[in-house]
Amino acid sequence: MADWERVFTDLAESRGQALLRYAYLLTGDAAEAADLVQEAMLRAFGRTTRGLTLESAEAYVRRAILTLHIDGRRRSGRWLLVRHLVADREDVSGPEGAVVDGADLRSALAALSPRQRACVVLHYYEDLSVAQVADVLGCAPGAVKRHLSDARARLEPLLSDSPEGLR
Amino acid sequence: MTLRTRLDDLAADAPDPGVLDVDRLRGRIARRRRTRFAAAGAAAILTVAAVGTATATLLPRDGGDDSADLPVSTSDATPAQVRFRALTCGSPMIVSERDDVPPLALSVDVPSVVGHIDEQLAVTTVTNVSATRIQGTTGLGPTMWVTRDGETVTAAAFVPEGAHLVDLEPGESMTFDTTNHIGWCGPTLTSGLGEVATAPGSYQLWFTWRMTTLDGEEIVLYEGPVDVEVE
């Protein structure tokens, strides 16, 4: 078995779940997440790379997932086509809005732009700093802060009745 | 409840790893790798032809395959987390830990046993291990330093800058012959360029390669030591 095959098998077995969760948070769709992970792994291991370790391969696949997600959405314009269909703030403005289930959060995330959503996932789920998120997305830290601020404005009412919920 | 907690809960709805068709994916990867290896060879040769000054090639240097069965030491293509530099003849290489992670990796193929050490000894590969395209220029190729028994046996000499273009998509590689613009240490510091080490024994090879991106950022790669035995 070639080196890449060993790393590939290890990655699929030990980190497959984590990668699927990451992709799922970005896409909000199970089938799309599975496609994204497989395409990212194909991209990562299909190149002429040598000496990949489990760690470097996972980092590469995660970056590929993000790039594929953002570029794919940008190209297809799918997000713009469905944006008006997802929930907005008015849907959760009542007293019950402070307590939401996963479907509400999924809808709220879907209302974010791909980059806003990526910022939220990287910052709040992957625990990356603003500077690290900026590095991953290839943009300025100020842009990340702006995306997070815009995202918080949409998500905050869904999570709790205090800003603490966003920490 | 924090957003992190909510995201954790939501992530739990992600599909099970069983949805990944690993065997089918492995086959697709193998096919893609075969195609890319062939395409990368053609692309490297075209790049060399266009630039006109580069030495990159994937073709056998001697026009034959005599060396095909020789044992080869291949270094790891993961970015080396050390940097090193040579001082003067007879001094050890100065090795230090690097605190950055370069977006490119340098790997080296060297025959384990050779008749002498010269600039045609190694085939070096630069691989883009980042997720972004890397573009810029470099000199003629990686530079090789040689030590024996912990002492530097080569001395620095002028290294002309070339105009070798670098344009690597994530995961793509370029292959070079090593450029040896260094002199061998002798009674008068260096015994001149072009001379080779022929004294039998064990040597260690150290390779450096640098490029400048279109943004003006300098990327320096290090690989070594790679052991080689001169018969």
Side-chain angles (χ1 to χ4, degrees):
Chain A
M1 182 181 287
D3 285 345
W4 72 263
E5 285 187 86
R6 273 192 287 275
V7 177
F8 167 77
T9 303
D10 286 349
L11 185 68
E13 289 178 353
S14 64
R15 302 299 297 160
Q17 181 72 81
L19 293 172
L20 283 166
R21 289 185 172 203
Y22 177 59
Y24 180 69
L25 286 179
L26 288 172
T27 63
D29 181 86
E32 197 175 342
D35 288 346
L36 200 53
V37 170
Q38 293 187 106
E39 183 59 32
M41 294 181 83
L42 182 65
R43 179 174 288 201
F45 289 93
R47 304 273 183 168
T48 56
T49 51
R50 289 188 299 168
L52 273 178
T53 63
L54 185 61
E55 291 75 20
S56 65
E58 181 176 356
Y60 192 106
V61 171
R62 282 178 179 270
R63 275 182 177 259
I65 287 172
L66 191 62
T67 303
L68 286 167
H69 168 66
I70 292 177
D71 289 352
R73 290 295 173 96
R74 188 164 52 217
R75 277 196 300 271
S76 70
R78 185 187 310 169
W79 175 75
L80 292 175
L81 294 174
V82 301
R83 185 177 186 177
H84 66 286
L85 299 176
V86 302
D88 58 22
R89 290 186 63 159
E90 282 68 34
D91 295 328
V92 290
S93 58
E96 69 280 11
V99 180
V100 295
D101 58 20
D104 292 317
L105 180 59
R106 190 178 296 113
S107 298
L109 287 171
L112 302 178
S113 73
R115 278 193 173 265
Q116 287 173 345
R117 185 167 182 147
C119 287
V120 167
V121 173
L122 291 170
H123 185 60
Y124 289 110
Y125 182 70
E126 297 289 330
D127 290 330
L128 300 188
S129 67
V130 168
Q132 289 170 321
V133 174
D135 183 52
V136 170
L137 292 176
C139 62
V144 174
K145 290 178 182 175
R146 189 171 64 251
H147 286 318
L148 287 173
S149 175
D150 292 345
R152 275 196 293 265
R154 285 181 170 272
L155 297 176
E156 193 169 348
L158 297 175
L159 298 166
S160 81
D161 43 12
S162 89
E164 298 298 314
L166 279 170
R167 290 187 179 165
Chain B
M1 183 174 283
T2 65
L3 180 54
R4 168 63 201 246
T5 309
R6 289 231 177 258
L7 290 171
D8 276 341
D9 291 345
L10 188 59
D13 293 337
D16 186 83
V19 301
L20 300 177
D21 191 342
V22 175
D23 290 335
R24 182 167 176 270
L25 193 53
R26 184 183 290 111
R28 291 180 66 195
I29 290 169
R31 286 192 294 276
R32 178 172 288 201
R33 287 176 66 87
R34 283 195 292 271
T35 304
R36 282 196 177 275
F37 274 123
I45 293 169
L46 286 173
T47 301
V48 171
V51 174
T53 60
T55 57
T57 176
L58 294 177
L59 299 175
R61 286 192 298 272
D62 298 323
D65 58 356
D66 294 347
S67 60
D69 296 330
L70 293 176
V72 172
S73 301
T74 302
S75 66
D76 197 331
T78 52
Q81 285 305 303
V82 297
R83 64 178 78 240
F84 47 75
R85 59 192 174 95
L87 293 178
T88 59
C89 290
S91 65
M93 295 290 286
I94 306 299
V95 182
S96 59
E97 190 173 347
R98 70 185 301 167
D99 52 8
D100 61 333
V101 179
L104 302 171
L106 180 64
S107 65
V108 184
D109 288 338
V110 182
S112 301
V113 180
V114 298
H116 59 265
I117 296 175
D118 69 355
E119 71 275 15
Q120 296 297 307
L121 181 66
V123 175
T124 48
T125 302
V126 175
T127 302
N128 181 358
V129 293
S130 76
T132 57
R133 183 180 182 183
I134 304 292
Q135 292 178 284
T137 57
T138 184
L140 292 180
T143 298
M144 178 174 67
W145 298 84
V146 185
T147 59
R148 186 179 187 188
D149 298 329
E151 294 182 353
T152 305
V153 297
T154 55
F158 175 67
V159 179
E161 284 299 317
H164 197 158
L165 300 178
V166 176
D167 186 356
L168 294 173
E169 294 285 351
E172 286 190 332
S173 302
M174 295 181 75
T175 301
F176 304 83
D177 286 343
T178 299
T179 317
N180 186 8
H181 290 286
I182 51 182
W184 293 94
C185 298
T188 57
L189 185 62
T190 68
S191 58
L193 302 178
E195 295 194 17
V196 296
T198 54
S202 298
Y203 294 81
Q204 296 77 46
L205 310 180
W206 310 70
F207 299 86
T208 64
W209 182 81
R210 64 184 65 229
M211 68 163 288
T212 304
T213 68
L214 294 181
D215 298 330
E217 178 192 359
E218 187 176 53
I219 299 173
V220 186
L221 305 179
Y222 304 86
E223 189 60 50
V226 178
D227 294 325
V228 64
E229 191 77 19
V230 175
E231 286 186 329

